[in-house]
Amino acid sequence: MCGISGYIGEKNNSIKIVFNILKKLEYRGYDSSGIATIFNKKILIKKSIGKLVNLKKIILKHQIGSNISIGHIRWATHGKPSRNNAHPHTDATKNIAIVHNGVIENYIELKKKYCINDEEIVSDTDTEIIVHIIKKNYKNDLFSAVRNVLREVKGSYAFALICKNEPDRIICAVNESPLVIGVGDKENFIASDVSAILKYTKKIVFLKNGDVAEIKKNNIIIRDIENNIKNMQIKTIKDENCSYIRKNKYKHFMLKEIFEQPYVIKNILKDVICLNKNKNYENEFKFFKNIIKNISYIYIIGCGSSYHSGLIAKLLFENFANIRTEVDIASEFRYRNPILNENTLVIVISQSGETADTLAALRFAKNKKCKTFAICNVMNSSLSREADKTIFTKCGQEIGVASTKAFIGQLVILYLLVFELSNKKGIINNHEFKKIIVELLDVPKKIFKILKNTKSIINIAEKIKGKKNFLYLGRNLNYPIALEGALKLKEISYIHAEGYAAGEMKHGPIALVDKSMIVVFIAIKKSKVYKKIISNIEEIKARNGTIVLITNEKNIEIKNKSDYVIYIPKINDYLSPIISIVPLQLLAYYIGVFKKCDIDHPRNLAKSVTVE
Ligand code: AGP
């Protein structure tokens, strides 16, 4: 996680520019932040704990004119959030300042090897050691000192450094953590992602693993660790929506994004279905249908909500397209020995396209010669650049840390891929395919209906907001929705919640059930597991658990089996996950609001998890 920013150029408001870039990167972490600049031949550091507004107050107090600065927003890995642990870090003589995103795995060994005394160290971070070692290697050339030290550094990093004796350059280095350079006119920028600097320039250099860059106001040189000059490719970024995103009438981005979901579905369907008018997705579907010809099975990889959409897709691919599909959490997949070969299609799913584990899983799959396909929301993200092909969910920027509309977007794309494949394989005919599309087109209306009636959800949220433990139970396609519902509640309200397969509950978790336990069930009337889930509800009722039931409207027969009911419109079972998740998102949201939690910036979380 963590975000890095930097500026060198003609303007002497570099601190403001670097701060503005950090603002765009706040989704990557928000436990502390800091900026280093060179002023009057000295390195000056301004730091603050908490969100960026706190740093803003400090930098406004001291208006410093400088044309070179680096900045950082932190999500703590080594060392708790504190002023000392906030970046930038400096060596003891304050000659060099460093900001870092990633994790240095061998910092303790390096500390011993270079005999860095504890007295020299002011933080608990893995980063600070690196700046001390660079200082030890420094012989009036920061570029070569950094390259020398990097030979010994193990782990993931994007570094940016400045040195008070060399006020005309920023040095950057990259390994397994993203960093881009924005190329301007007599000025250059750095940032952890492209969108953060698009306000300043559309000309972008994507740094690659092993790159060490020297960035001056008029010049950029990239070398490898051995000092060989590397080719530099400047890409011009188009089609990026740089507009400032507002909450409008909504109190939080999360709520706004929940309410945007019907439009997300409509947009995707509009682009896919009106192929002759709008060929937005034509290439991606063609690519998918072409590569799948020689594929013997699919692996779907993701983290968090993206993993949950993959779990639903597995059931759909197997059921409707008759293709063996495995799903895995990215951080597990890459450390197992999965059976992969050139006939495996690895689908990586990620809202941000920057999740470190998902990216590493993609690279792992590519090394094994698998075909790769990404489902991603953020254009120009690392994942989308590295996968063989990417299909974008085009949900618009998702700001709330809890994923909502991006999850729905992923689901809709996955449904379309499954049914395209099913149709291509002749498992469903054209008529059936069209019928499915018509049913999908009806989904936004159904979601609007849920969104129009949030009152009952608000009432339930108020009544149960004080409870300490929640179980979310579902079966088949709604089992991943139970996982997703529980994840939303944990993230937003800090209440302990577990998602479970309803049939598995009697194998252990049922021991937890008493009247203080809230058990949320998803029971879809026409589903083949409906009767089974009714039995599971009875089992909980018999043990005095408090039941919140999500079921279809007019399904009165189980009303008296539950303490609270949330009705959703009638829908065919196979499409039910797309709408059953909506009341669960709202329930988590309103409980979080009643508990006065920081909805869009929950504690300890970041929107994009860029460390392993
Ligand atoms: C979802 O609400 C979470 N914030 C989180 O689990 C997220 O889905 C996960 O970190 C994966 O992110 P990605 O989709 O950007 O890869």
Side-chain angles (χ1 to χ4, degrees), residues 7-12 67-68 186-188 216-217:
Y7 174 86
I8 183 159
E10 291 213 311
K11 300 185 181 120
N12 78 344
N67 64 350
I68 175 169
K186 297 184 191 128
E187 59 183 1
N188 290 309
K216 294 187 163 181
K217 85 173 177 196

Side-chain angles (χ1 to χ4, degrees), residues 460-470 495 516 518 591 594-595:
I460 298 171
E462 190 173 15
K463 292 203 175 97
I464 60 179
K465 62 176 189 248
K467 299 287 181 181
K468 300 268 183 293
N469 292 295
F470 280 56
I495 294 175
S516 67
I518 300 287
I591 292 177
F594 282 121
K595 291 191 75 190

Side-chain angles (χ1 to χ4, degrees), residues 302-307 349-355 358 400-404 410 484 487-488 491 605-609:
C303 301
S305 298
S306 299
Y307 165 68
I349 307 179
S350 171
Q351 186 286 130
S352 61
E354 300 295 347
T355 302
T358 312
V401 165
S403 187
T404 52
Q410 292 165 357
E484 177 64 6
L487 178 63
K488 294 293 89 117
E491 285 185 293
L605 295 175
K607 182 70 188 153
S608 172
V609 184

Side-chain angles (χ1 to χ4, degrees), residues 202-294:
K202 304 266 184 296
K203 289 186 190 159
I204 303 291
V205 177
F206 293 94
L207 290 176
K208 299 190 193 76
N209 285 347
D211 284 355
V212 190
E214 175 196 61
I215 302 159
K216 294 187 163 181
K217 85 173 177 196
N218 284 321
N219 196 26
I220 299 165
I221 296 175
I222 302 178
R223 293 179 185 270
D224 63 15
I225 291 180
E226 304 309 327
N227 205 18
N228 305 306
I229 296 223
K230 293 179 83 175
N231 278 340
M232 186 175 81
Q233 242 194 322
I234 303 177
K235 284 196 178 169
T236 304
I237 303 296
K238 291 181 216 136
D239 297 324
E240 186 78 20
N241 180 3
C242 318
S243 63
Y244 179 66
I245 313 231
R246 291 170 199 277
K247 280 187 260 189
N248 300 334
K249 61 177 182 187
Y250 298 96
K251 202 168 163 210
H252 299 101
F253 278 110
M254 181 183 177
L255 189 63
K256 177 175 178 255
E257 286 157 6
I258 292 174
F259 273 76
E260 281 171 354
Q261 295 180 118
Y263 302 102
V264 164
I265 303 172
K266 276 184 175 187
N267 283 344
I268 297 174
L269 292 176
K270 190 182 75 197
D271 280 3
V272 173
I273 292 154
C274 308
L275 277 183
N276 34 4
K277 277 194 220 144
N278 192 343
K279 302 204 170 198
N280 273 342
Y281 282 117
E282 200 181 19
N283 280 339
E284 291 87 335
F285 279 97
K286 242 189 210 163
F287 175 90
F288 181 75
K289 285 191 274 185
N290 270 337
I291 45 163
I292 207 90
K293 279 183 206 148
N294 303 318

